[in-house]
Amino acid sequence: MLSKGLKRKREEEEEKESLAVDALWLDPGHAAVAQAPPAVASSSLFDLSVLKLHHSLQQSEPDLRHLVLVVNTLRRIQASMAPAAALPPVPSPPVAPSMANNLLASSDAALSASMASLLEDLSHIEGLSQAPQPLADEGPPGRSIGGAAPSLGALDLLGPASGCLLDDGLEGLFEDIDTSMYDNELWAPASEGLKPGPEDGPGKEEAPELDEAELDYLMDVLVGTQALERPPGPGR
Amino acid sequence: MIPGIGTLTQDTLWCFSQVKGTIEIGTTEANVLPSGLLPSGQNKLGPWCSPTGSPAPLSCETGCGEGSWILVCRLLVPTQVSLLSMEEDIDTRKINNSFLRDHSYATEADIISTVEFNHTGELLATGDKGGRVVIFQREQESKNQIHRRGEYNVYSTFQSHEPEFDYLKSLEIEEKINKIRWLPQQNAAYFLLSTNDKTVKLWKVSERDKRPEGYNLKDEEGRLRDPATITTLRVPVLRPMDLMVEATPRRVFANAHTYHINSISVNSDYETYMSADDLRINLWNFEITNQSFNIVDIKPANMEELTEVITAAEFHPHHCNTFVYSSSKGTIRLCDMRASALCDRHTKFFEEPEDPSNRSFFSEIISSISDVKFSHSGRYIMTRDYLTVKVWDLNMENRPIETYQVHDYLRSKLCSLYENDCIFDKFECVWNGSDSVIMTGSYNNFFRMFDRNTKRDVTLEASRENSKPRAILKPRKVCVGGKRRKDEISVDSLDFSKKILHTAWHPSENIIAVAATNNLYIFQDKVN
């Protein structure tokens, strides 16, 4: 962060290094371009941009200019990380589930839906960058991932009805959330944690509690929206 | 000194004239206090207004030791201002107490968000983040003080916009004043438009220095007299009273913008004006508040396809059918309202091809235009993007005729500036009265002037340390690398929280107003 006066030398060196790498990467005449792209520099920029996008979307009324610029920059970075034309479909986004959990815990229903569609798009990139996390094979893919040009669906929530729970478009937003993925994540540890009982100590008890809270939250979200979609019939 | 001839020759020296605002101890935009917190060891300032409540000359020079500042009390003259209701759709008469900011430390509400001279330069208006408008008036020049060329004193203060809550969307609407635009003066009163994110208001500022006395049927307090006691006929006479400046909201133009208003511009016909948000531009008639015409709409049918937003818009100074708007992709479109009702198809399209040697991931962000201004002549437009100011000839669309580097040393720092969001800062730019010099702000409270004729440029600083009365401003220099000279400042020492986003230039004289966070600096050229 640039602030008044003092800046740690080490940060400065790291920034210079990453900037130099970026410059290297972008210079068409440089020999380094022929080699493998320095994924480290670009992926940090990519992560930063995703964070910014997330932060922007979290605002109740996002700054449209900021959002559009970040999205376009993200597209540029994405394009540079995947210079090949066709994007092969990815079986399952490895980082997505943990990201989803983190994001959902702090967001409301509409945001979680926007994140879902955003993650769908990001899954293209996750499969292509040399992500350190191994591909998780925990169940079927969350949603169908096409190889078409990515469209960041997060933006379709911006408009007069953004944030309004009674929006007509709400039904479609939850269609692509595959609860089975969350079931795999959350149910399994919870059920395992409950079985052993108190002799496992306070450390393990914390984990099932957390999962239960997350689970409750998710169930509220799902049941709540289902209640909105389908008004209760007689006898319900 | 010939008014209007402003050039940056070697003879032009800028000197400090006044500064308005609360004295803060190391307060910048990054660390202003939330309201209610009191810093320790603050300077207590003098009384806000004279005890009688009459308008006091609020710029007073007090020496406070060596290297002294000009201490200026932030104006707060409550008895001067009242909100009167004149129309059925405005709240009934009330005295709005919420704008009395009775503190002497800087809060976020005090951050100045817009600065604008009126058409004669007699008045200078500022808007701040707290929704308040402060108008300064230039004092009449007296023969005795020829070296002080008319200082600006507080004329009127009023709360233009209040924080609102949109219940339908559960959103808070900021009261920050985004823009102020003056209407040309047509009678004794002054009119200005002020806008926040959603609502534009037309304010009338008028003076009252007489009041009627001696009513026949009413006594002095306004109570009806008993008719039996009335034996003579009296005609009320106007008697002088202490000058009172009133600000009244005459029109409220609301509910026409879904997105955030970034610009307003008064048309040269003085009957209409436009307001622009991120995706749409609306045309209003001053007399009609319940409808407006949409003249530009760039919202895509599917918001997923949104890649560009409107960043600024302005009417041509002479041709009432012509206006321009700029975009986040660094383009400017000139539109003619005679061509069609919806000006989605531009008449002219200004864009400079990207320089391949300067390409980076941030190319688009730094090309985003933050301000667009017609020259007074109407022949040129000036645009400001993150690193440069460009002057375009209306007759040449493929590239600007002039490009000025504001702070090119930041080009290698774009990654950090992206990280801390400084790369999204929106700087404004202004022409001088004769269109020969242009000015824009930068970081570290620096601002830059470029002389279009001589190609000279200068960097000056708005700071309390350099604020001795009539002190000549010393040009500043940023050292890029290698050896740093004594007076230079290195790029890494720049304070990025001190940014000059808003500046204004007097329409005919070399007087400039520079907003530095919560302080307003007024500089004049040196009068011999």
Side-chain angles (χ1 to χ4, degrees):
Chain A
M1 292 278 287
L2 290 174
S3 60
K4 184 175 179 177
L6 312 172
K7 201 167 148 188
R8 294 203 310 254
K9 283 262 172 87
R10 197 179 164 77
E11 261 180 43
E12 199 175 338
E13 282 171 5
E14 282 175 1
E15 275 178 25
K16 278 188 185 158
E17 194 186 349
S18 76
L19 287 173
V21 173
D22 273 343
L24 220 64
W25 169 234
L26 293 162
D27 182 8
H30 204 280
V33 173
Q35 302 161 9
V40 177
S42 292
S43 78
S44 67
L45 199 59
F46 172 80
D47 291 340
L48 177 62
S49 300
V50 168
L51 264 169
K52 281 192 183 299
L53 179 60
H54 162 60
H55 180 70
S56 202
L57 283 170
Q58 248 188 347
Q59 317 261 324
S60 48
E61 209 174 13
D63 178 0
L64 213 56
R65 172 184 165 261
H66 186 271
L67 189 63
V68 160
L69 289 174
V70 169
V71 163
N72 289 348
T73 305
L74 202 49
R75 286 197 177 117
R76 275 199 191 209
I77 296 168
Q78 178 188 324
S80 76
M81 288 164 75
L87 305 174
V90 178
S92 144
V95 189
S98 56
M99 271 182 82
N101 287 340
N102 292 337
L103 295 173
L104 286 171
S106 60
S107 62
D108 62 2
L111 178 62
S112 65
S114 76
M115 278 295 112
S117 53
L118 175 62
L119 292 170
E120 176 184 351
D121 177 62
L122 291 178
S123 63
H124 298 295
I125 300 123
E126 293 304 324
L128 291 164
S129 72
Q130 317 301 323
Q133 293 91 335
L135 287 179
D137 56 348
E138 43 186 9
R143 43 222 151 245
S144 60
I145 296 160
S151 64
L152 288 173
L155 287 175
D156 63 4
L157 285 181
L158 297 171
S162 71
C164 179
L165 289 178
L166 302 175
D167 189 11
D168 288 339
L170 197 64
E171 301 175 359
L173 295 175
F174 291 88
E175 280 172 0
D176 55 359
I177 292 187
D178 181 8
T179 55
S180 64
M181 190 175 74
Y182 301 129
D183 293 344
N184 288 336
E185 264 295 295
L186 299 168
W187 276 111
S191 55
E192 281 170 8
L194 284 170
K195 274 180 192 167
E199 63 260 21
D200 288 338
K204 261 213 173 159
E205 274 173 355
E206 283 178 3
E209 274 179 28
L210 207 59
D211 289 332
E212 269 182 36
E214 279 186 286
L215 182 66
D216 282 344
Y217 175 77
L218 243 135
M219 289 308 295
D220 282 343
V221 165
L222 292 168
V223 168
T225 52
Q226 281 179 3
L228 280 174
E229 289 176 45
R230 283 178 277 143
R236 280 214 177 176
Chain B
M1 153 78 199
I2 305 167
I5 311 293
T7 58
L8 286 183
T9 61
Q10 287 201 309
D11 303 328
T12 304
L13 297 166
W14 287 94
C15 43
F16 172 82
S17 175
Q18 298 169 275
V19 60
K20 311 280 188 189
T22 51
I23 308 256
E24 76 282 20
I25 317 292
T27 305
T28 62
E29 182 151 356
N31 57 350
V32 289
L33 303 165
S35 309
L37 281 185
L38 211 63
S40 59
Q42 55 170 1
N43 283 339
K44 271 284 180 202
L45 295 179
W48 296 116
C49 64
S50 69
T52 61
S54 59
L58 282 173
S59 73
C60 44
E61 288 182 49
T62 65
C64 57
E66 293 176 10
S68 60
W69 309 346
I70 290 190
L71 286 180
V72 178
C73 304
R74 188 89 192 263
L75 79 128
L76 280 172
V77 195
T79 56
Q80 264 187 339
V81 185
S82 60
L83 291 178
L84 305 174
S85 75
M86 292 299 192
E87 286 157 16
E88 63 278 1
D89 55 332
I90 295 173
D91 287 345
T92 53
R93 175 189 291 249
K94 66 180 194 277
I95 302 285
N96 190 339
N97 289 320
S98 63
F99 62 82
L100 299 177
R101 300 224 193 95
D102 194 14
H103 50 241
S104 51
Y105 48 88
T107 67
E108 205 171 308
D110 296 314
I111 295 175
I112 299 171
S113 49
T114 184
V115 187
E116 186 83 355
F117 280 99
N118 76 336
H119 293 263
T120 59
E122 181 203 354
L123 299 180
L124 174 62
T126 63
D128 64 22
K129 230 175 159 183
R132 198 166 65 152
V133 171
V134 179
I135 301 177
F136 301 91
Q137 183 186 44
R138 197 170 180 196
E139 65 187 11
Q140 304 290 348
E141 292 184 21
S142 66
K143 301 283 186 262
N144 303 332
Q145 297 177 326
I146 40 172
H147 56 274
R148 274 172 45 148
R149 256 181 34 229
E151 293 202 338
Y152 283 85
N153 300 322
V154 172
Y155 181 65
S156 175
T157 302
F158 55 92
Q159 185 74 24
S160 172
H161 286 72
E162 298 273 8
E164 287 172 44
F165 195 75
D166 183 337
Y167 293 97
L168 198 62
K169 297 188 227 167
S170 270
L171 295 171
E172 212 179 81
I173 300 172
E174 254 196 278
E175 68 275 26
K176 172 167 77 96
I177 307 294
N178 291 337
K179 282 286 177 341
I180 288 174
R181 289 288 182 261
W182 289 93
L183 269 67
Q185 198 175 3
Q186 290 173 310
N187 53 31
Y190 304 102
F191 287 88
L192 61 81
L193 285 175
S194 72
T195 185
N196 68 348
D197 283 340
K198 298 287 185 180
T199 304
V200 186
K201 293 188 184 180
L202 176 69
W203 286 87
K204 175 182 176 183
V205 182
S206 51
E207 294 182 7
R208 187 187 292 230
D209 62 353
K210 301 185 200 26
R211 65 159 176 248
E213 283 181 19
Y215 281 98
N216 202 42
L217 302 176
K218 289 190 288 186
D219 63 19
E220 290 311 310
E221 274 87 47
R223 290 185 297 242
L224 287 174
R225 291 166 63 190
D226 180 6
T229 64
I230 300 172
T231 55
T232 59
L233 183 68
R234 279 195 307 175
V235 175
V237 292
L238 293 174
R239 297 215 185 283
M241 59 179 257
D242 290 337
L243 179 67
M244 195 160 113
V245 181
E246 299 172 326
T248 48
R250 299 311 304 256
R251 304 273 187 278
V252 179
F253 306 92
N255 304 320
H257 285 280
T258 308
Y259 306 100
H260 292 175
I261 297 175
N262 52 54
S263 309
I264 46 175
S265 179
V266 179
N267 205 350
S268 51
D269 63 9
Y270 303 157
E271 288 184 1
T272 57
Y273 75 94
M274 71 162 148
S275 55
D277 67 28
D278 292 319
L279 298 179
R280 297 191 179 102
I281 302 181
N282 293 333
L283 181 72
W284 300 84
N285 184 304
F286 281 111
E287 300 302 319
I288 301 168
T289 59
N290 59 358
Q291 62 179 19
S292 69
F293 290 100
N294 176 238
I295 53 177
V296 173
D297 189 342
I298 65 167
K299 184 180 179 205
N302 189 355
M303 278 294 269
E304 285 182 16
E305 295 160 7
L306 180 68
T307 56
E308 195 174 8
V309 297
I310 297 170
T311 53
E314 193 176 62
F315 268 117
H316 191 283
H318 311 309
H319 303 143
C320 57
N321 54 287
T322 304
F323 65 93
V324 293
Y325 68 92
S326 60
S327 82
S328 57
K329 282 198 171 170
T331 65
I332 308 105
R333 288 170 176 81
L334 183 140
C335 300
D336 187 333
M337 294 196 290
R338 298 170 300 189
S340 67
L342 188 61
C343 299
D344 274 356
R345 286 217 224 123
H346 50 262
T347 304
K348 296 199 183 195
F349 182 76
F350 299 85
E351 186 180 29
E352 186 176 24
E354 194 180 359
D355 178 7
S357 64
N358 271 336
R359 258 194 116 219
S360 76
F361 290 122
F362 309 110
S363 291
E364 182 176 327
I365 300 181
I366 63 170
S367 75
S368 172
I369 291 174
S370 50
D371 195 16
V372 64
K373 290 267 172 49
F374 272 101
S375 64
H376 291 91
S377 62
R379 282 191 56 194
Y380 306 103
I381 47 176
M382 167 169 55
T383 58
R384 174 71 153 98
D385 51 61
Y386 190 62
L387 296 178
T388 72
V389 183
K390 294 179 174 150
V391 177
W392 305 75
D393 188 316
L394 284 189
N395 298 317
M396 188 160 74
E397 299 168 52
N398 58 350
R399 60 178 173 82
I401 56 170
E402 296 154 29
T403 301
Y404 301 95
Q405 303 293 332
V406 181
H407 37 217
D408 201 54
Y409 44 79
L410 298 183
R411 201 177 283 274
S412 56
K413 309 271 177 194
L414 292 180
C415 206
S416 312
L417 295 164
Y418 178 65
E419 190 184 357
N420 65 10
D421 272 347
C422 278
I423 206 174
F424 298 102
D425 286 335
K426 292 187 286 185
F427 293 92
E428 293 172 7
C429 53
V430 289
W431 298 87
N432 76 335
S434 59
D435 297 337
S436 57
V437 185
I438 57 183
M439 173 169 69
T440 188
S442 178
Y443 294 104
N444 209 72
N445 278 353
F446 287 169
F447 57 99
R448 304 260 284 138
M449 290 184 189
F450 303 93
D451 188 320
R452 297 179 58 217
N453 299 323
T454 65
K455 301 303 180 198
R456 296 167 64 91
D457 63 82
V458 68
T459 305
L460 301 171
E461 183 180 359
S463 75
R464 293 273 180 177
E465 287 79 33
N466 305 330
S467 302
K468 290 186 210 180
R470 291 172 295 286
I472 294 173
L473 294 180
K474 203 175 62 170
R476 305 301 309 246
K477 194 145 163 38
V478 177
C479 133
V480 184
K483 288 171 277 192
R484 186 181 76 87
R485 290 214 187 108
K486 198 185 91 161
D487 289 335
E488 293 180 356
I489 179 166
S490 76
V491 183
D492 297 320
S493 306
L494 294 174
D495 188 344
F496 287 85
S497 62
K498 290 186 174 162
K499 43 194 101 171
I500 307 261
L501 303 173
H502 314 288
T503 60
W505 203 310
H506 189 285
S508 52
E509 294 183 41
N510 274 348
I511 304 173
I512 55 175
V514 175
T517 314
N518 61 314
N519 287 302
L520 181 74
Y521 289 83
I522 300 173
F523 301 105
Q524 300 179 0
D525 67 343
K526 187 169 163 62
V527 181
N528 298 314

